Amino acid sequence: MADHNKLGETGEALAKSYLVAKGYEVLETNWKSGHYELDLVMRKDNCVVAVEVKTRSELVTKASDVMSLKKERTICIAVDRYLSQKQVKTDCRIDLLILEKKGLGFNVTHIKDAIGQENE
């Protein structure tokens, strides 16, 4: 497995642990519909939260450094499919979790309701 794939898998596992420690419940991991995928689908306070996880070995200064408009659109389509297939009737939001490798650990940045925001 390539190093960047290992880093991504490590990041997703850490993201899941981080969110569970913050009181989120795991609903899905790597949920797929066709070629659309959601890294994590969680629930917190009666809200379904789709989480895009970005793990980086270098410094990230803003969300747009890790998520393009095309990726945002793809995530929105995936969320729509998830909500429809699972017949979800509660509130929903899309969060971005950025993990930056720092020494032996990671810095975590959690951007709630991240789609369409500049987050500079």
Side-chain angles (χ1 to χ4, degrees), residues 4 12 17 30-31 33 53 57 59-60 95 117-118:
H4 71 275
E12 286 187 14
S17 296
N30 297 317
W31 179 87
S33 175
V53 179
S57 57
L59 180 66
V60 176
D95 289 2
Q117 294 186 20
E118 282 299 311

Side-chain angles (χ1 to χ4, degrees), residues 68-85:
S68 67
L69 288 174
K70 181 180 177 185
K71 182 63 176 177
E72 284 187 15
R73 285 187 208 107
T74 301
I75 293 169
C76 288
I77 292 168
V79 168
D80 285 343
R81 286 186 175 198
Y82 178 83
L83 296 174
S84 177
Q85 288 179 17

Side-chain angles (χ1 to χ4, degrees), residues 43-48 90-92:
R43 180 186 346 249
K44 176 131 190 212
D45 301 329
N46 205 30
C47 180
V48 172
T90 62
D91 289 336
C92 178

